[in-house]
Each structure stands twice: as structure tokens, then as C-alpha cells.
Amino acid sequence: MAHIEPFTALRFTERDVSNLIAPPYDILDDSDKAALLRKDDHNIVAIDLPHVPPKTAGPDEVYQRAAGELTSWLDIRCIARDERPALYVYHQSYKLGKKTLTRKKFFARLRLEEFGRGQVFPHEQTFGGPKEDRLKLTAATRCNLSPIFGLYPDPANEVSAILDNAIAEQEPDQGGMLDGVQNVLWVVTDRAIIEAVKGKLADKPVFIADGHHRYGTALMYRQAQVEETGEPAANDPVNYVLAVLGGMEDPGATIMPYFRTITGVPKITPDALRQALAESFTWDITKRPKDEEALASLLATSGEGAMALYVAATDVCAVIAPKTPDLLAKVEPKRQPAWRTLPYAVLHRFILDEVITPKLCGGKAPAIHYHKSLMESVNDATVSSGIACLMPATTMQQLRDICTAGELMPQKSTYFYPKLATGMVVNPLY
């Protein structure tokens, strides 16, 4: 079962935290960090991003400096620790096309489990890369500075209803605008409310939407503590990780598509691509969609598993769809049907592995670039004379079916929007 606990967070003492919160560390560079610190030199990025790029570990002194900075902020009460354990209700309001949506979530400590041994599931493959940077930062600060993002099934949105009632007559404790997204926080200390939420979560799985590396780092940190001091007590904070948890059926939850650009390919003509795909896919020439909303409308009426391929050199866009619903059954008979029918799996395992690489690239796999924006993918294809792969968004049902079947999606098959703000709460591991 998913085991959550309230905790006493470290939080900024300002009510308006617009200049103090930051995007996730792993999408920031030096210029982003500098821009955030120009807003306020107490922006959380000063501690959360001591070394750039964060995919490589920096020297020990940068992490010690970050820990010292956190201590000084506590000394001057820029940040303070709450007195009572709480769950922290967290809403993000944002625009999506012409609509304004609110994604409802809450912060809690989530008990760590090894993947495959409990109710916490990864949802996609992740790129390899060292976790030393996050591990060194965790060890130096003894805190989780950035949360993981977990989703749980809740068809009736019962957890959200409990928390909505808890904050109905309560003014937000903090709020801040970041990159056009309004982030709002309420502190809930009522023990009856906390126990009700814990009870509702107890029999639910949690699917990690974002933060696989942070979860892995928390497991590594716990193991290091076990090796150093022995097995911790059950309620020791080291057994938990900071998590933002939200219902999969929340009306404000959005999964955006993740686009690809195939680069480093010879000059593939649309005719050659069409002929190579003809046995297994339909091929319909169309006008290139101008944005994500137009793409979604186009693919929704183009058959199960439809995606679009844009050949930039000749300015040709085609919508393709598998002629058979389980196209991957022959090449991946041991994989679960939920995985085999996912468009991202079809793209990587069939179109790239079985068609483009052997038939059009002489057996050498092309390079793949990943983009969160349709136009970024198209522009990359234009510059590189490549092919933009304009993908549909993965649905919550697909995510749930694949995770519960014990499968992992190809990397970057989901883009959960908006990104969580870092700095709303910090989880002390002491």
C-alpha cells in the first residue's frame, strides 16, 4: 500500500514567494540561475542548483556552501520550520489554450519502496546519468529540496474532496506566480483530515509522473544511512521522500505530447518513407498543424494510434496510423498489449527499429532529439533536414494500464504540465 505521512516543512516566511521559487533544477542552466537570483538572492535556486550542469557532480565545496546557505537562511528566518506536522495542499492554476485549469495536489512524505516490491511504480524508462549531484546535495543539506510528482487513481476524486473541504474557509498560506502559473499553498494540520487522506491513499498505487531520478537518489541516500548507522526506525524521515501527489482523474491534470525530431538521416523523400511504411501504415498527406491544439484535433479523427510525420526538406506532412491494432505483436510478443499499442512504443520499436534504420539509413540508427513544443520539433527538422515526429498525448488510462502491467514506456513519452515549482516546501530529513 502507499504509505504517506505529514511532516514539518521548511518554508519561506514571505507570503508572496513569486521571487523565491524556481522551476525544476534539471531544466535550468547558468543563465536561468542568474536570472532567478537577480529577482531575489534568496531564491531557492541558490541552494537547489549549486553546480551546473546538475547531471554531473561538482566539487564537495559547492554542496557544503549550499548547506551553509540554508543554515544562514534559517538563522535569519528567511526560511523557518513549521511547528506542527501537516499536509500541504498545493494548487497550480494555468492556461491551456482558451481554458484556465487548476491542478489540485498536496505535499506529503511518501514511504520509499524498491520498484517492483510495493505500490510505487515508475512509468517510463529514463536516460542514464549519474545521481551523484543530487545525492551529494541531499547529504550536505539533509533535505529533499525538490519533490517527486506522483499520481494515484481516484475516480471519484475523494481525496481532493476531503482537502477541498479542509481549505474551503481558509485563506492560502502562501502563493507565487512562476512562468505564468499561479502556485498556491495551504497548510493542513487537522489530524482527522490527515488520517482521512492517509486512509484513502492506503490501498492505492502511486505512479511516478516526474522525478524518477530524485526517487532513485532518495533510495541511495537511505541505503547510505543504513550502511553508516544501521537500519533506521520505521518513522525515521530517511525512509520517506518528499512527494507532490495528485489524482489521475483530476480535471486539471494535463499530459502534453512529447515530440521527436529524427536527425542525421540521409535525404529521405516522402515517397521513400511512404513506400517503406506502406505495408503496415496508412498514409494521408495533410497540412502541417500550426500548433498542439490543431495537431490533437487532427489525430483524434485519424484512427487509433495515429501520429504525424513532417519531412522538412520537402515540406510534406503525413498522418500515419497502424493498419492493425497490435502492430508490435510479431516483433514484441512478450510485451503487454498496453505497451505494444502505445504510439511512442510503435514509433521507437517499429518505425525506427524496423523501418527507418534498416531500410532508409543503411542500418545506422539516426539521432533523436526530444522537444516539448511542436514548433521546436519542426524547426529542428528544418535546420537538420530531418523528420519531425508529431505525437499524440499519452492518456492517463494508457499510463495506468502500462504501469500496472509492469511495463515502462519509452523515455519521454509524457510531459506533465505545468512543472512543479521548487521551493514551496522543503522536506528536512532530520
Side-chain angles (χ1 to χ4, degrees), residues 16 26 47 59 93 161 166 191 219 230 244 277 284 309 329 348 387 427:
D16 184 351
D26 52 0
I47 298 171
S93 296
R191 196 68 209 184
L219 288 170
V244 168
L277 294 170
D284 294 304
L309 301 178
H348 283 270
I387 301 169
N427 176 38

Side-chain angles (χ1 to χ4, degrees), residues 68 176 253 293 324:
E293 191 172 358
T324 57

Side-chain angles (χ1 to χ4, degrees), residues 190-338:
D190 186 301
R191 196 68 209 184
I193 297 295
I194 292 170
E195 290 301 321
V197 172
K198 286 179 62 176
K200 290 293 184 184
L201 265 290
D203 63 348
K204 297 182 184 296
V206 171
F207 306 110
I208 297 181
D210 205 358
H212 294 80
H213 285 112
R214 274 160 271 171
Y215 192 89
T217 297
L219 288 170
M220 291 170 63
Y221 180 73
R222 182 192 182 281
Q223 183 58 36
Q225 296 302 299
V226 169
E227 292 171 0
E228 183 176 333
T229 61
E231 192 70 30
N235 63 347
D236 193 303
V238 77
N239 290 321
Y240 296 81
V241 65
L242 178 63
V244 168
L245 301 171
M248 301 179 80
E249 294 81 8
D250 175 14
T254 298
I255 303 178
M256 304 286 279
Y258 227 125
F259 306 105
R260 279 96 165 109
T261 303
I262 303 172
T263 67
V265 296
K267 291 186 177 180
I268 299 175
T269 65
D271 280 346
L273 186 58
R274 178 184 58 79
Q275 290 174 15
L277 294 170
E279 183 179 343
S280 303
F281 292 86
T282 60
W283 176 279
D284 294 304
I285 298 294
T286 186
K287 184 178 180 181
R288 174 173 60 79
K290 65 180 187 300
D291 55 31
E292 284 81 354
E293 191 172 358
L295 173 67
S297 297
L298 174 66
L299 297 184
T301 59
S302 300
E304 197 71 28
M307 65 189 81
L309 301 178
Y310 174 67
V311 184
T314 51
D315 192 30
V316 170
C317 187
V319 173
I320 66 170
K323 290 182 177 179
T324 57
D326 197 354
L327 179 63
L328 292 182
K330 289 184 179 179
V331 295
E332 291 287 354
K334 295 183 179 180
R335 305 297 292 263
Q336 295 297 315

Side-chain angles (χ1 to χ4, degrees), residues 43 139 222 357:
N43 188 284
R222 182 192 182 281
T357 296

Side-chain angles (χ1 to χ4, degrees), residues 393-422:
T394 297
T395 67
M396 286 290 184
Q397 189 62 51
Q398 287 171 319
L399 185 149
R400 182 176 180 175
D401 290 346
I402 289 172
C403 289
T404 53
E407 296 279 11
L408 293 175
M409 297 179 187
Q411 60 246 15
K412 298 190 183 298
S413 295
T414 54
Y415 174 33
F416 293 92
Y417 183 80
K419 290 292 186 181
L420 305 177
T422 300

Side-chain angles (χ1 to χ4, degrees), residues 114 149 169 237 270 340:
E114 295 287 346
F149 180 24
E169 298 182 5
R340 295 198 305 255

Side-chain angles (χ1 to χ4, degrees), residues 95-169:
K95 286 190 176 297
L96 188 66
K98 297 178 180 178
K99 298 183 293 184
T100 297
L101 301 175
T102 297
R103 188 172 67 180
K104 299 180 178 182
K105 309 167 295 300
F106 67 95
F107 285 93
R109 280 176 173 162
L110 174 66
R111 188 171 182 87
L112 291 165
E113 301 173 345
E114 295 287 346
F115 291 141
R117 298 183 184 178
Q119 288 290 87
V120 179
F121 299 88
H123 88 274
E124 68 179 16
Q125 296 172 333
T126 56
F127 290 112
K131 300 181 182 73
E132 285 83 358
D133 168 75
R134 291 297 101 180
L135 186 59
K136 291 175 80 170
L137 183 61
T138 304
T141 61
R142 296 176 63 209
C143 289
N144 296 143
L145 293 157
S146 302
I148 68 160
F149 180 24
L151 294 165
Y152 55 86
D154 190 11
N157 283 304
E158 294 177 306
V159 174
S160 183
I162 293 170
L163 294 173
D164 280 349
N165 289 333
I167 64 172
E169 298 182 5

